[in-house]
Amino acid sequence: KAGVTQTPRYLIKTRGQQVTLSCSPISGHRSVSWYQQTPGQGLQFLFEYFSETQRNKGNFPGRFSGRQFSNSRSEMNVSTLELGDSALYLCASSQMGQGETGELFFGEGSRLTVL
Amino acid sequence: AQSVTQLDSQVPVFEEAPVELRCNYSSSVSVYLFWYVQYPNQGLQLLLKYLSGSTLVKGINGFEAEFNKSQTSFHLRKPSVHISDTAEYFCALYNFNKFYFGSGTKLNVKP
């Protein structure tokens, strides 16, 4: 079974630009979550999508958005990039439904550098 | 409110020595608990999980953890570490369809 695939793995942008990151979950997984990881803040939850609906959201500004498609693939977008957005963005998929225990399976991440 | 506290940000240890990485959690309801490991430039992978039943949970790579409800702890242990165990370890709590991660503990195994 293929794992969680994130593209691109590395990217460099400049301040003010926008970026779109993609995540393909494990086949059959309906939940996709996004996390931002930085040395100073650790792992911070961005949002979770389940069956194309945003089910949970972290405390990030509106510049961070996401969506999920009918095939469970997900994208996240960051607009008007700031230097502080430089981070490793991790996607995780799960079979999580209501009341399930939901083990997360992580991709290798997309490392974004903002100059 | 749910939260996870990893008491040590870094743990240095010599190869073949035992190690314990500490994790405490706060929750008003029953929880599921996990330990994840992250090797450099990689995503996180599951080491072990506690859902219910026996409080001693065994995971991959010789790791184990003990769930202690009275002390609200879920410490990770390994009796003899290897250089390849050098990584960052995250404790996590799950309930109500959300995960809460600790800040991570960097395990540095020295030869």
Side-chain angles (χ1 to χ4, degrees):
Chain A
K1 212 175 195 182
V4 178
T5 304
Q6 291 188 245
T7 56
R9 287 292 315 279
Y10 302 91
L11 65 166
I12 300 174
K13 294 284 187 178
T14 56
R15 279 181 298 174
Q17 287 187 310
Q18 74 164 14
V19 66
T20 298
L21 308 178
S22 179
C23 173
S24 293
I26 291 172
S27 177
H29 287 191
R30 295 182 295 166
S31 169
V32 173
S33 302
W34 289 90
Y35 292 83
Q36 182 196 64
Q37 186 178 26
T38 58
Q41 300 295 321
L43 269 171
Q44 294 194 87
F45 172 72
L46 282 154
F47 27 66
E48 183 226 352
Y49 287 86
F50 181 81
S51 294
E52 300 181 67
T53 300
Q54 187 181 85
R55 187 163 65 173
N56 287 300
K57 189 177 187 306
N59 297 322
F60 277 80
R63 300 185 296 109
F64 291 81
S65 62
R67 58 179 175 169
Q68 186 180 33
F69 303 96
S70 58
N71 61 359
S72 292
R73 190 177 72 85
S74 177
E75 288 181 347
M76 68 162 282
N77 183 277
V78 188
S79 62
T80 320
L81 284 166
E82 301 176 358
L83 294 179
D85 295 334
S86 294
L88 181 67
Y89 289 87
L90 291 166
C91 168
S93 76
S94 173
Q95 289 179 308
M96 265 197 292
Q98 291 291 339
E100 293 179 24
T101 58
E103 173 186 341
L104 290 177
F105 294 82
F106 283 84
E108 293 191 311
S110 292
R111 184 166 295 282
L112 170 65
T113 302
V114 182
L115 302 176
Chain B
Q2 332 291 322
S3 67
V4 176
T5 302
Q6 291 184 243
L7 299 161
D8 306 298
S9 59
Q10 297 195 48
V11 172
V13 62
F14 286 105
E15 194 173 17
E16 298 183 5
V19 70
E20 178 180 82
L21 306 184
R22 297 181 292 169
C23 171
N24 285 89
Y25 69 92
S26 174
S27 176
S28 57
V29 297
S30 296
V31 298
Y32 302 122
L33 294 162
F34 302 77
W35 275 100
Y36 283 85
V37 60
Q38 185 179 33
Y39 299 103
N41 298 315
Q42 294 186 25
L44 282 69
Q45 58 180 277
L46 182 70
L47 268 181
L48 49 79
K49 59 185 175 184
Y50 172 78
L51 306 180
S52 65
S54 173
T55 57
L56 184 63
V57 181
K58 294 191 182 296
I60 62 171
N61 301 338
F63 284 94
E64 63 181 32
E66 185 156 19
F67 171 63
N68 188 319
K69 188 174 181 179
S70 62
Q71 298 189 5
T72 60
S73 68
F74 190 54
H75 301 332
L76 181 70
R77 302 185 182 102
K78 186 169 183 178
S80 175
V81 294
H82 191 268
I83 295 286
S84 60
D85 293 323
T86 295
E88 189 161 17
Y89 293 78
F90 292 90
C91 182
L93 172 162
Y94 172 81
N95 62 24
F96 301 122
N97 295 319
K98 285 189 74 173
F99 270 86
Y100 302 83
F101 283 89
S103 54
T105 297
K106 290 184 179 177
L107 176 64
N108 183 15
V109 182
K110 305 175 182 179

